[in-house]
Amino acid sequence: MPMVHKKMVAIVAMCTLVLTLAIFTGAFEDKLSPINLRASQLHTGERYLVTAQVIELQDTISANVSAQENTRVASRILAQIETIAVRAGQAVKQGEVIATLADEQLQATVKQVSAQSAANEVQLTQAQKQLNRVSALLDRGLVARDQVDNWQSNVDELSAKRTALMEQLKGAKVALGYTQIVAPISGVVVERLVEPGDMVTPGTPVLDLFNPASLQITASVGASLVGKLQVGAELSVRIGASERTLSGKISEIVPVADNLARQFLIKLDVVTPAGIKPGMYAEVYLPAQRVKRVLIPRKLVKRAGQLTMVDVIESGVKSRRLIRLGSSYDEKVMVISGLSDGEILAM
């Protein structure tokens, strides 16, 4: 009996499988007869043959205006900010005092070292005179040799001290000069980073400057394009919303790509018109290339909101298809995707 039961289960499972396959393959549905298109369903109007044409394609890349001469002015000593004479947007000249630091302690140090140096000079003068005196007495045999040696040691010690004090005084005066922070270049203040009363240490940024007369364009270029560029090549540049196209010369191509974006940085020198500032948006036009692209008459494009479509004829039947457009060329427009060379459109 167990053997018969297993056979029955196997037969039932096989029948179920066959029935399922028959249902999915439509064995129990009425067969549809082939569709024969009537003449009224076929497109009989004018047609347009889609062809790829050779055009000059000029790519553009996003860029930024940046300062070629840009510097951050920092403090060289530990002191408190006393005054800041400039604000953001203000023009300054090279060597102009732009900030001052409290100098009372340094002034006191200079005075103290100066006094020590003066006192040492007096002692050195007296010791030199005494050395000359005992040296003369030694020649006459009136003093012992050790007295001359003692005074010689005093003179040598005071001379060494004079040298040390001179260096110390020089360092104190240099540090005192650092309390007057001057502009290292002529330019415009970008931002003041501290305010009067703030304590600064050596290396603390005080303000940023840039030279508006030496601006440049910086852009990132993909690996496939950077090989076609070289230093000295001229490219067209458009800055911001300006309709003017400027000429820029590639001054630098950074040979190492960015690890994340895989882009190479290029820099272009350009003579910018008045009013252009660092950070503005720009566009760089790369050299034109002759390529094959699909172009169709603009009048064949149908629009529905943001969508663009054309009527395509396939097997004599007209159907609507979405396409993506590119640049315009007179009365024609480039089709980036959605159409291929050789297809037929309804006019």
Side-chain angles (χ1 to χ4, degrees), residues 162-183:
R162 177 174 64 178
T163 302
L165 287 171
M166 288 176 62
E167 290 298 323
Q168 188 176 350
L169 181 61
K170 182 180 177 180
K173 288 182 177 180
V174 169
L176 184 61
Y178 290 157
T179 60
Q180 301 285 311
I181 300 178
V182 299

Side-chain angles (χ1 to χ4, degrees), residues 210-221:
F210 81 94
N211 185 357
S214 61
L215 298 179
Q216 63 181 1
I217 306 298
T218 57
S220 295
V221 181

Side-chain angles (χ1 to χ4, degrees), residues 58-66 216-222 225 229 235-240 261 263-268 279-286:
Q58 189 172 40
D59 291 328
T60 61
I61 54 176
S62 299
N64 291 296
V65 180
S66 60
Q216 63 181 1
I217 306 298
T218 57
S220 295
V221 181
L225 295 174
L229 303 176
L235 301 177
S236 297
V237 178
R238 191 177 70 179
I239 300 176
Q263 302 278 308
F264 290 83
L265 181 68
I266 65 171
K267 300 179 181 180
L268 297 91
M280 284 187 171
Y281 174 78
E283 287 183 331
V284 176
Y285 296 86
L286 298 177

Side-chain angles (χ1 to χ4, degrees), residues 4-57:
V4 174
H5 179 71
K6 289 183 178 179
K7 288 183 178 181
M8 290 297 295
V9 171
I11 292 172
V12 171
M14 182 62 70
C15 293
T16 303
L17 177 61
V18 172
L19 181 61
T20 302
L21 290 175
I23 293 173
F24 277 107
T25 56
F28 301 104
E29 297 179 1
D30 295 334
K31 299 296 183 180
L32 297 176
S33 58
I35 298 176
N36 294 318
L37 296 175
R38 298 190 301 273
S40 59
Q41 293 177 291
L42 298 175
H43 179 74
T44 59
E46 293 186 66
R47 304 183 179 196
Y48 178 84
L49 177 62
V50 176
T51 57
Q53 303 176 29
V54 177
I55 60 172
E56 284 197 350
L57 185 63

Side-chain angles (χ1 to χ4, degrees), residues 67 69-73 86-94 96 98 183-192 207-215 275-278:
E69 194 175 3
N70 192 9
T71 183
R72 171 164 285 186
V73 184
V86 294
R87 291 195 172 275
Q90 184 174 339
V92 296
K93 293 182 178 180
Q94 185 177 11
E96 179 182 345
I98 53 181
I185 62 171
S186 297
V188 176
V189 178
V190 178
E191 183 182 8
R192 50 191 273 178
L207 50 81
D208 289 334
L209 294 173
F210 81 94
N211 185 357
S214 61
L215 298 179
I276 302 301
K277 302 183 184 302

Side-chain angles (χ1 to χ4, degrees), residues 45 158 189 260:
L158 291 170
V189 178
L260 297 178

